């Protein structure tokens, strides 16, 4: 056996050509057929949704008008995110893509949140918006954007969009996942069910229980939603 085919170099080659590409795969996996319109009523859900029978598929399954409607911004954040993910638009099932519409009232913001399964890109359609994200090393990157300008948020990083203009702001965002998931930091920590014990939060945020209870009271009626 020559040195180039020693067991060590074989293991190294295996690592480089087989294991590393798997480790670096971050988006949803590729489809194994042309399409697979999600059957949202299926009783068995493994890692995504099974396909509805091809004989039942129609043109309507590939179109979605949910993002044409302005969302209500009458809430504590003054913003609304309308999702075009697999749960609202079953046509994206297995395709590894989805989109959102984000409406933000003057003075409002899409509060700090992250997507555990996707990077995000977006474009401002109307208004002026401060877009920012924080890295795992606590570096804050941000920019004021106007109509037509784009941004990108790397997968899993906390980010927000704030309306810094006088008029309402509108953005469209796109994801490399059919179901990016969205965790809103404040709601997640202070509005969970059951509630996170106060001594965890007082220690984590270095404040007293009154402050924690005050913040919890803002989020105790938060919608509890089942995320897949
Ligand atoms: C914006 O950040 C979005 O998640 O749509
Ligand atoms: Mn986002």
């Amino acid at each position: 056996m020559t040195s180039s085919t020693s067991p060590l170099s074989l293991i190294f080659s295996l690592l480089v050509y087989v294991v590393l590409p798997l480790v670096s795969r971050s988006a949803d996996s590729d489809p194994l057929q042309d399409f697979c319109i999600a059957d949202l009523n299926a009783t068995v859900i493994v890692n995504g949704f099974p396909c509805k029978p091809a004989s039942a598929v129609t043109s309507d399954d590939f179109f979605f008008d949910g993002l044409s409607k302005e969302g209500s911004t009458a809430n504590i954040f003054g913003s609304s995110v309308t999702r075009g993910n697999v749960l609202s638009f079953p046509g994206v099932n297995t395709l590894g893509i989805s989109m959102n519409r984000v409406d933000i009232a003057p003075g409002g913001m899409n509060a700090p949140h992250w997507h555990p399964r996707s990077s995000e890109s977006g474009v401002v359609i109307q208004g002026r918006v401060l877009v920012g994200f924080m890295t795992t090393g606590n570096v804050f990157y941000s920019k004021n954007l106007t109509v037509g300008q784009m941004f990108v948020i790397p997968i899993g990083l906390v980010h927000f969009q704030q309306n810094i203009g006088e008029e309402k702001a509108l953005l469209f965002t796109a994801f490399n996942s059919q179901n990016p998931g969205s965790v809103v930091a404040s709601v997640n920590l202070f509005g969970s069910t059951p509630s996170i014990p106060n001594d965890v939060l007082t220690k984590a945020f270095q404040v007293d229980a009154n402050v924690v209870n005050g913040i919890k009271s803002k989020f105790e009626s938060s919608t509890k939603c089942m995320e897949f």
Side-chain angles (χ1 to χ4, degrees):
M1 188 178 281
T2 66
S3 61
S4 63
T5 54
S6 70
L8 249 180
S9 65
L10 266 178
I11 290 170
F12 180 75
S13 307
L14 262 177
L15 255 178
V16 170
Y17 294 111
V18 180
V19 179
L20 289 186
L22 293 179
V23 171
S24 63
R25 178 180 287 279
S26 59
D28 295 3
S29 45
D30 289 336
L32 302 177
Q33 60 242 316
D34 281 1
F35 55 79
C36 170
I37 310 300
D39 176 0
L40 298 181
N41 299 318
T43 47
V44 179
I45 294 167
V46 188
N47 189 20
F49 293 93
C51 319
K52 89 183 206 184
S55 57
V57 171
T58 68
S59 289
D60 281 347
D61 286 312
F62 300 98
F63 300 91
F64 176 62
D65 69 356
L67 303 194
S68 64
K69 301 172 189 88
E70 183 174 350
S72 168
T73 55
N75 55 57
I76 54 171
F77 296 128
S79 69
S80 154
V81 178
T82 309
R83 297 188 170 86
N85 63 17
V86 69
L87 301 171
S88 52
F89 183 13
V92 302
N93 193 37
T94 73
L95 300 182
I97 54 172
S98 58
M99 291 185 74
N100 285 351
R101 171 190 176 125
V102 184
D103 292 283
I104 314 177
M109 71 163 171
N110 185 17
H113 65 280
W114 68 94
H115 307 288
R117 294 181 284 274
S118 182
S119 294
E120 169 179 329
S121 62
V123 61
V124 177
I125 303 297
Q126 186 182 349
R128 294 175 51 233
V129 183
L130 166 65
V131 178
F133 71 90
M134 286 65 71
T135 68
T136 54
N138 306 318
V139 180
F140 175 45
Y141 292 100
S142 69
K143 191 162 189 166
N144 295 346
L145 300 185
T146 57
V147 174
Q149 297 186 310
M150 272 189 80
F151 62 89
V152 66
I153 310 290
I155 185 169
L157 298 187
V158 178
H159 60 282
F160 65 88
Q161 294 100 16
Q162 182 184 33
N163 186 341
I164 52 167
E166 306 295 316
E167 59 169 333
K168 75 186 196 76
L170 171 64
L171 303 88
F172 284 96
T173 51
F175 302 89
N176 60 329
S177 171
Q178 66 176 31
N179 189 15
S182 186
V183 183
V184 180
S186 50
V187 178
N188 195 239
L189 287 171
F190 293 94
S192 67
T193 305
S195 190
I196 298 176
N198 273 9
D199 58 344
V200 172
L201 295 171
T202 53
K203 190 85 171 167
F205 288 91
Q206 294 291 293
V207 293
D208 64 38
N210 288 336
V211 177
V212 167
N213 285 332
I215 304 175
K216 277 185 173 177
S217 70
K218 309 267 185 220
F219 297 110
E220 60 198 359
S221 60
S222 305
T223 311
K224 311 291 179 278
C225 50
M226 181 62 77
E227 291 280 350
F228 287 98

